[in-house]
């Protein structure tokens, strides 16, 4: 019966679709900021990349659980010490109708690796060589076991198109003259064509019927608009002017959920919040005893003080109250969605005020001390409230915390021109989404090649040894052991007080169905519209 | 017309623009670090150093300033760090949206303020007229963004009559992108225009009322009434006409205020004008755009003030005699 119904339905649909042209289904969606440019290699802006990803595709794709799956490369395997060999997907066409060749891929790898913004991610790539019509070798300086994960951010563009339009090299910032052709025009292989790009305002997409993949959704057009002011963004959704918005403010969730024909979806993202404490200075900045006299040592360097702070903060309460449940408490320096995350190790420190006080007394601070928490405003969700909560929780164990809120440019400047902070809240994301990146960039001792984002200036020889081995190891089993070891060392020595992983919150009308992805990309080819 | 007076005003204007250019140039280095905002916090030290070098950020400030001024004089405002386009393009394409919004707000504030003022003046002895004036003060004291959000809540979310964001459909006329020629463009102007006007309505109303009371006491008005001309005609034709001269002056000055408040209104309604551009440039430490924006606004203010001075000089013979700065 059911089967027969389906068959009849299918037959009618087939007849109908022959009889009339396909209905246009347009998705209007809005986010916080606009796409800055459509040159995938001249931006690493999070939002821009998620918009560009509809038009340009990466060599490796991600599935819904953020695992690497074939993209424009159908296969990849290591060859020798420092080479990855990619086998390309056949019959892929660019939007201008030309076929994607191995030369295009090699060109794109070299073009992106030379871009200033991608030095951290692809700076170790020394060359890309065409082996034959469907094979490309990517050669790096030394081993790069996580290159496939990184390739989820390597976008392929047509060499001929780039050369013909004067953008064979990434338009260099600060060079004089006019805007680059690739700023408003695109020629990728992706499921959507770029119909119009108005920088700083909106982007219009059209479905690419010649796409090699299968569309799971049914949309034919999409319009993305930036609505920076959160109340306005919510209003635009509630009034039906847009079908879907990203970054729904937590306080508006009940309002949207109570509105008929509206839904809120959330999902994990590759980001976790942590409190970082100075691990290097002999005297901590803006930290004194209770009477304002300088301390003899940097309390944060004592692991007992670090543990006292970890046990003195109720992370679950922060998630329940401030994050309204839209976050997950974490206890290691990673979170679901990162490659290499270890679920069984993810146990947060027990909230225990007495233990915290005891540890402080053992460390020689029975009366506690006074310090300053630098707090970035408006970049991550509800940071202001998180910092205030931390301050009042630590007051209970005897540490007086003055919260110093700063707008992001100011906060970022404080970090990159220093770091001039001994205690701060920050979100850690990791560049490619592999735990190795977090180890190398955020936790390893700061030196020329490592610890670029180790703003805590935390340093631990055993941990560095683990990182040294990890970056050279290809064997998945051994890598997993190293991930576990590193995460454990960092947690036992309280590299930072890990708080939570904030969820992405999207809101949409009942007419559309959009699965959430951890990199916050609205995958247009999977959007279903039923009006 | 005394030329020394005008020359003095002109010198004054040039001085103001110069001071603003210095402040605008220095402001950038207080907010954030342009290299960090371009490359992100995870950039390698080498990449950071290379970019600082290329943008000339390591040179002494004075040298950077002189170089900047030299470029500005040739009409080159540089490239935006974030938008990766010439600053002049980025700014010019935003001008129409802001001007249309300010003009709409001006029309609203005069269209509502003048009748209010006239009525309040004519019936100035009645309780409700002073109540009306008191209420109009509330309009001034409400923060603009609150008014904006309220309007969106009522007219977009609840009633669904008017769009909550953007400019709707626009039409290109030469280099000017206008929203005045399409229904959706006009509908999009209503809410932000009104939100921007509301702080000015009270100002206009009070000014009209004061002037009008003055005029109503004049001989010729009494005379007109004595001749039996209907009240309405006296009030709106004879009296209002003489009231309007100072209003026109104030409108010129108001345009400046409207531009300043437009930053807030544009942010609330995601209006693609100079205000949103400026705010996003600030949060992204896009120094060339921030500096150029401040220069443009300063020049605009100085220019309107010059025009007002000039018109005064035409209207007021005393200014022709000796210069009073």
């Amino acid at each position: 019966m059911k089967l027969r119904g389906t068959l009849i339905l299918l037959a009618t649909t087939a007849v109908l679709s022959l009889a009339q042209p396909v209905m246009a289904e347009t998705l209007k969606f809005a986010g916080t900021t606009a796409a800055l440019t459509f040159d995938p290699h001249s931006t690493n802006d999070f939002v821009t990349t998620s918009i560009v990803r509809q038009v340009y595709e990466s060599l490796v794709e991600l599935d819904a659980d953020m695992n690497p799956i074939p993209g424009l490369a159908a296969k990849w395997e290591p060859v020798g010490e420092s080479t990855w060999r990619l086998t390309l997907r056949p019959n892929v066409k660019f939007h201008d109708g030309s076929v994607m060749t191995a030369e295009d891929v090699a060109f794109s790898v070299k073009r992106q690796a030379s871009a200033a913004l991608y030095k951290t991610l692809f700076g170790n790539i020394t060359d890309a060589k065409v082996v034959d019509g469907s094979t490309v070798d990517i050669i790096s300086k030394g081993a790069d076991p996580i290159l496939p994960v990184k390739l989820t951010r390597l976008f392929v563009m047509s060499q001929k198109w780039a050369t013909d339009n004067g953008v064979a090299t990434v338009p260099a910032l600060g060079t004089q003259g006019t805007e680059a052709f690739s700023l408003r025009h695109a020629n990728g292989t992706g499921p959507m064509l770029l119909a119009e790009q108005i920088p700083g305002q909106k982007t219009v997409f059209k479905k690419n019927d010649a796409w090699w993949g299968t569309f799971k959704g049914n949309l034919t057009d999409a319009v993305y608009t930036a609505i920076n002011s959160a109340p306005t963004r919510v209003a635009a959704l509630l009034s039906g002017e847009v079908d879907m918005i990203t970054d729904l403010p937590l306080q508006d969730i009940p309002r949207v959920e109570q509105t008929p024909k509206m839904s809120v979806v959330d999902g994990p993202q590759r980001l976790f919040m942590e409190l970082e404490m100075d691990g290097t200075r002999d005297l901590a900045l803006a930290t004194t005893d209770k009477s304002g006299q300088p301390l003899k040592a940097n309390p944060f360097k004592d692991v007992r003080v670090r543990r006292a702070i970890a046990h003195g903060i109720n992370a679950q309460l922060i998630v329940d109250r401030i994050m309204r449940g839209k976050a997950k408490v974490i206890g290691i320096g990673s979170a679901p969605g990162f490659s290499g995350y270890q679920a069984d190790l993810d146990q947060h420190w027990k909230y225990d005020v007495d233990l915290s006080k005891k540890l402080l007394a053992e460390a020689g601070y029975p009366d506690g001390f006074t310090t300053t928490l630098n707090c970035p405003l408006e970049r991550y969700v509800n940071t202001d409230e998180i910092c205030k909560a931390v301050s009042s929780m630590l007051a209970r164990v005897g540490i007086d915390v003055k919260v110093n809120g700063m707008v992001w440019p100011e906060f970022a400047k404080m970090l990159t021109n220093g770091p001039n902070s001994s205690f701060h809240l920050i979100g850690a994301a990791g560049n490619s989404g592999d735990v190795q990146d977090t180890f190398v960039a955020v936790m390893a001792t700061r030196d020329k090649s490592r610890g670029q984002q180790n703003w805590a200036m935390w340093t631990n020889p055993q941990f560095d040894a683990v990182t040294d081995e990890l970056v050279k190891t290809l064997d998945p089993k051994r890598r997993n052991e190293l991930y576990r070891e590193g995460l454990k060392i960092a947690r036992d020595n309280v590299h930072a007080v890990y708080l939570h992983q904030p969820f992405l919150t999207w809101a949409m009308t009942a007419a559309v169905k959009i699965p959430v992805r951890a990199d916050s990309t609205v995958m247009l080819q999977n959007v279903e519209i039923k009006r | 017309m005394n030329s020394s007076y005008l020359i003095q005003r002109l010198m004054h204007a040039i001085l103001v623009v110069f001071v603003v250019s210095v402040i605008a140039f220095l402001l950038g280095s207080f907010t954030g670090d342009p290299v960090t905002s371009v490359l992100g916090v995870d950039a390698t030290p080498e990449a950071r150093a290379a970019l600082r070098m290329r943008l000339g950020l390591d040179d002494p400030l004075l040298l950077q300033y002189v170089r900047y001024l030299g470029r500005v004089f040739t009409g080159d405002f540089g490239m935006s760090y974030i938008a990766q386009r010439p600053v002049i393009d980025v700014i010019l394409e935003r001008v129409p949206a802001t001007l249309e919004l300010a003009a709409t707000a001006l029309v609203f504030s005069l269209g509502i303020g003048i009748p209010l003022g006239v009525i309040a003046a004519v019936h100035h002895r009645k309780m409700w007229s002073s109540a009306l004036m008191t209420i109009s003060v509330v309009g001034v004291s409400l923060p603009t963004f609150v008014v904006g959000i309220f309007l969106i809540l009522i007219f977009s979310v609840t009633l669904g009559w008017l769009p909550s964001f953007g400019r709707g459909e626009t039409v290109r006329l030469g280099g000017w992108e206008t929203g005045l020629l399409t229904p959706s463009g006009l509908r999009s102007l209503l809410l932000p225009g009104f939100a921007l006007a509301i702080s000015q309505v009270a100002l206009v109303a009070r000014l009209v009322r004061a002037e009008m009371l003055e005029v109503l006491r004049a001989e010729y008005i009494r005379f007109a009434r004595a001749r039996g001309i209907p009240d309405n005609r006296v009030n709106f034709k004879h009296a209002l006409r003489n009231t309007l001269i100072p209003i026109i002056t104030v409108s010129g000055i108001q345009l400046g205020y409207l531009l300043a408040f437009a930053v807030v209104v544009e942010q609330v309604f995601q209006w693609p004008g100079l205000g949103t551009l400026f705010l996003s440039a600030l949060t992204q430490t896009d120094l060339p755009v921030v500096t150029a924006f401040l220069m443009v606004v300063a020049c605009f203010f100085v220019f309107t003030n010059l025009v007002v001075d000039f018109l005064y000089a035409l209207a007021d013979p005393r200014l022709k005699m000796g210069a009073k700065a």
Side-chain angles (χ1 to χ4, degrees):
Chain A
M1 190 66 221
K2 209 169 166 189
L3 178 72
R4 203 174 129 201
T6 317
L7 282 176
I8 291 174
L9 190 73
L10 274 177
T12 4
T13 341
V15 171
L16 279 178
S17 61
L18 284 176
Q20 51 175 239
V22 181
M23 290 287 293
E25 288 290 5
T26 306
L27 175 81
K28 291 185 178 144
F29 64 124
T32 50
T33 51
L36 302 165
T37 169
F38 249 81
D39 192 317
H41 305 159
S42 76
T43 180
N44 65 353
D45 170 64
F46 185 71
V47 177
T48 306
T49 303
S50 76
I51 295 293
V52 170
R53 192 178 275 285
Q54 321 286 345
V55 172
Y56 285 102
E57 291 179 290
S58 48
L59 285 163
V60 177
E61 276 296 340
L62 292 166
D63 67 6
D65 301 327
M66 292 285 108
N67 298 312
I69 52 167
L72 292 178
K75 271 208 330 246
W76 48 89
E77 55 190 1
V79 180
E81 163 81 352
S82 55
T83 302
W84 281 91
R85 175 157 295 175
L86 311 182
T87 310
L88 305 180
R89 185 179 295 280
N91 312 325
V92 173
K93 281 205 171 87
F94 285 107
H95 296 162
D96 65 1
S98 60
V99 176
M100 179 185 84
T101 63
E103 280 78 12
D104 289 320
V105 172
F107 162 81
S108 301
V109 171
K110 284 188 280 204
R111 188 182 191 267
Q112 191 160 356
S114 72
L117 291 166
Y118 285 94
K119 285 279 173 260
T120 318
L121 205 55
F122 300 122
N124 277 337
I125 294 178
T126 52
D127 201 7
K129 287 192 178 129
V130 175
V131 178
D132 60 39
S134 64
T135 317
V136 173
D137 279 353
I138 300 181
I139 299 133
S140 36
K141 209 167 23 192
D144 194 353
I146 60 165
L147 187 72
V149 183
K150 292 181 181 173
L151 291 181
T152 54
R153 295 192 46 194
L154 204 146
F155 294 100
V156 176
M157 65 161 59
S158 149
Q159 180 168 13
K160 184 176 180 308
W161 178 85
T163 314
D164 288 351
N165 293 301
V167 287
T169 53
V170 180
L173 187 75
T175 48
Q176 276 321 318
T178 54
E179 67 175 60
F181 186 80
S182 50
L183 191 98
R184 290 175 205 254
H185 306 86
N187 184 27
T189 57
M192 304 304 283
L193 306 166
L194 177 62
E196 188 184 23
Q197 156 71 354
I198 304 176
Q201 290 183 45
K202 68 171 189 183
T203 308
V204 183
F205 301 96
K206 270 205 142 23
K207 182 179 168 188
N208 171 22
D209 290 319
W211 186 48
W212 56 265
T214 24
F215 287 89
K216 289 185 188 138
N218 65 341
L219 69 72
T220 56
D221 302 87
V223 181
Y224 173 81
T225 319
I227 305 180
N228 190 266
S229 149
T232 312
R233 196 163 59 248
V234 176
L237 175 78
L238 295 177
S239 66
E241 290 166 87
V242 296
D243 305 310
M244 180 262 172
I245 59 170
T246 64
D247 297 84
L248 176 70
L250 297 178
Q251 64 269 19
D252 293 323
I253 291 174
R255 167 89 210 252
V256 176
E257 278 175 340
Q258 283 154 20
T259 310
K261 295 190 179 168
M262 291 279 165
S263 65
V264 176
V265 293
D266 57 46
Q269 62 178 323
R270 280 176 169 172
L271 173 76
F272 56 91
M273 303 305 295
E274 60 181 29
L275 290 165
E276 295 189 334
M277 301 159 287
D278 194 328
T280 292
R281 284 188 182 84
D282 293 324
L283 290 175
L285 302 170
T287 304
T288 60
D289 71 7
K290 292 272 173 93
S291 60
Q293 295 305 311
L295 295 164
K296 290 185 190 63
N298 170 2
F300 297 116
K301 265 170 94 168
D302 190 322
V303 75
R304 288 168 298 189
V305 173
R306 291 175 167 262
R307 287 180 51 211
I309 294 174
H311 287 293
I313 292 170
N314 188 342
Q316 189 61 53
L317 192 70
I318 291 177
V319 166
D320 293 343
R321 291 283 167 78
I322 296 170
M323 302 300 290
R324 300 176 196 232
K326 299 290 180 189
K328 176 192 177 303
V329 171
I330 53 161
I332 47 172
S334 185
F338 282 84
S339 324
Y341 166 74
Q342 307 290 331
D344 61 313
L345 295 181
D346 192 352
Q347 306 292 329
H348 189 81
W349 296 272
K350 196 163 142 275
Y351 176 57
D352 188 341
V353 173
D354 296 335
L355 174 60
S356 178
K357 283 181 177 159
K358 199 171 111 228
L359 285 162
L360 276 178
E362 271 175 36
Y365 302 97
D367 306 327
F369 54 89
T370 302
T371 188
T372 305
L373 174 65
N374 295 310
C375 187
L377 303 176
E378 291 178 3
R379 183 172 179 90
Y380 312 107
V381 177
N382 293 4
T383 41
D384 196 19
E385 292 90 332
I386 295 170
C387 292
K388 284 181 186 139
V390 164
S391 169
S392 63
M393 286 167 183
L394 290 179
R396 257 177 250 164
V397 302
I399 304 173
D400 286 345
V401 180
K402 184 176 143 281
V403 175
N404 174 29
M406 304 183 207
V407 291
W408 178 255
E410 195 187 353
F411 188 87
K413 187 179 177 177
M414 171 190 77
L415 297 181
T416 53
N417 296 359
N420 299 315
S421 166
S422 285
F423 189 35
H424 53 256
L425 172 76
I426 192 158
N431 218 332
S432 65
D434 192 289
V435 170
Q436 180 185 312
D437 267 341
T438 316
F439 281 12
V440 169
V442 179
M443 301 183 189
T445 304
R446 276 175 86 90
D447 63 16
K448 274 201 154 44
S449 59
R450 301 251 175 98
Q452 241 55 274
Q453 299 170 72
N454 184 346
W455 315 119
M457 298 192 291
W458 181 73
T459 170
N460 181 299
Q462 292 102 329
F463 182 86
D464 289 349
V466 169
T467 307
D468 285 343
E469 191 182 341
L470 180 66
V471 298
K472 294 198 292 265
T473 306
L474 279 168
D475 171 35
K477 208 164 133 260
R478 179 63 190 143
R479 285 186 68 82
N480 208 46
E481 285 165 12
L482 290 164
Y483 285 141
R484 297 178 70 83
E485 225 170 298
L487 289 170
K488 265 194 229 145
I489 295 170
R491 186 193 48 202
D492 294 345
N493 294 283
V494 199
H495 141 257
V497 178
Y498 309 121
L499 297 174
H500 58 259
Q501 172 189 36
F503 292 163
L504 292 167
T505 45
W506 291 357
M508 56 194 83
T509 63
V512 295
K513 251 177 67 183
I514 308 173
V516 176
R517 244 172 69 119
D519 64 352
S520 196
T521 305
V522 178
M523 298 301 264
L524 294 175
Q525 68 268 36
N526 300 337
V527 173
E528 267 183 85
I529 307 181
K530 290 195 203 68
R531 293 205 198 276
Chain B
M1 170 82 53
N2 186 322
S3 60
S4 80
Y5 165 75
L6 278 185
I7 287 174
Q8 199 184 19
R9 303 307 299 159
L10 202 62
M11 293 308 284
H12 184 243
I14 289 171
L15 181 73
V16 169
V17 172
F18 169 74
V19 169
V20 169
S21 79
V22 173
I23 293 172
F25 183 79
L26 289 176
L27 182 79
S29 45
F30 291 131
T31 46
D33 174 26
V35 172
T36 302
S37 76
V38 171
L39 295 179
V41 289
D42 56 356
T44 59
E46 297 78 38
R48 292 174 55 84
L51 186 62
R52 285 195 76 82
M53 183 102 172
R54 205 170 60 222
L55 299 176
L57 295 169
D58 289 330
D59 303 340
L61 267 182
L62 187 67
L63 179 64
Q64 286 186 49
Y65 177 72
V66 170
R67 201 187 302 142
Y68 175 78
L69 265 197
R71 279 205 306 262
V72 167
F73 272 117
T74 60
D76 172 14
F77 283 90
M79 292 284 276
S80 153
Y81 294 162
I82 303 295
Q84 303 174 15
R85 303 167 57 207
V87 172
I88 197 88
D89 296 0
V90 176
I91 289 195
L92 283 180
E93 75 184 13
R94 300 286 188 133
V95 168
T98 298
L99 281 185
E100 284 180 9
L101 176 62
T104 307
L106 192 64
V107 169
F108 278 160
S109 70
L110 296 178
I112 302 167
I114 292 174
L116 265 184
V118 171
I119 293 167
V122 172
H123 304 282
H124 70 276
R125 288 199 181 80
K126 301 206 173 84
M127 272 295 285
W128 60 261
S129 113
S130 33
L132 200 66
M133 282 296 110
T134 316
I135 292 168
S136 74
V137 173
V138 175
V140 179
S141 41
L142 276 178
T144 312
F145 72 91
V146 172
V147 173
I149 294 290
F150 255 104
L151 290 174
I152 289 176
L153 206 60
I154 297 165
F155 292 99
S156 307
V157 177
T158 314
L159 298 169
W161 290 350
L162 295 167
S164 60
F165 73 95
R167 276 183 93 188
E169 254 182 281
T170 53
V171 179
R172 256 194 178 292
L173 292 176
W176 191 276
E177 184 121 14
T178 180
L180 299 171
L181 300 176
T182 62
S184 75
L186 287 170
R187 285 174 57 237
S188 302
L189 264 167
L190 292 177
L191 291 186
F194 188 72
L196 188 51
I198 208 157
S199 61
Q200 305 289 313
V201 167
L203 181 79
V204 174
R206 294 188 154 263
L207 196 80
V208 172
R209 179 175 172 269
E211 286 288 333
M212 189 86 176
L213 285 173
E214 196 85 1
V215 171
L216 287 178
R217 288 192 206 103
E219 293 281 333
Y220 66 92
I221 296 291
R222 295 187 194 175
F223 197 69
R225 289 203 204 286
R227 277 171 55 204
I229 297 175
D231 270 358
N232 264 348
R233 208 179 139 114
V234 172
N235 292 342
F236 280 90
K237 193 167 171 203
H238 299 253
L240 186 60
R241 190 187 294 177
N242 289 303
T243 304
L244 283 184
I245 295 159
I247 308 284
I248 290 166
T249 319
V250 169
S251 301
I253 295 167
Q254 255 196 49
L255 262 183
Y257 283 103
L258 289 173
L259 275 188
F261 279 110
V263 174
V264 179
V265 172
E266 286 186 8
Q267 179 66 5
V268 171
F269 291 92
Q270 193 64 41
W271 191 258
L274 288 168
T276 40
L277 174 73
F278 177 64
L279 282 182
S280 68
L282 260 188
T283 53
Q284 296 163 328
T285 326
D286 196 345
L287 297 191
V289 175
V290 171
T291 320
F293 171 85
L294 290 171
M295 293 286 289
V296 167
V297 169
C299 289
F300 179 84
F301 264 86
V302 165
F303 178 74
T304 43
N305 271 324
L306 264 182
V307 171
V308 169
D309 285 340
F310 180 77
L311 290 177
Y312 266 15
L314 280 182
D316 190 339
R318 280 167 306 179
L319 284 172
K320 293 184 191 171
M321 307 311 292
K324 294 194 199 74

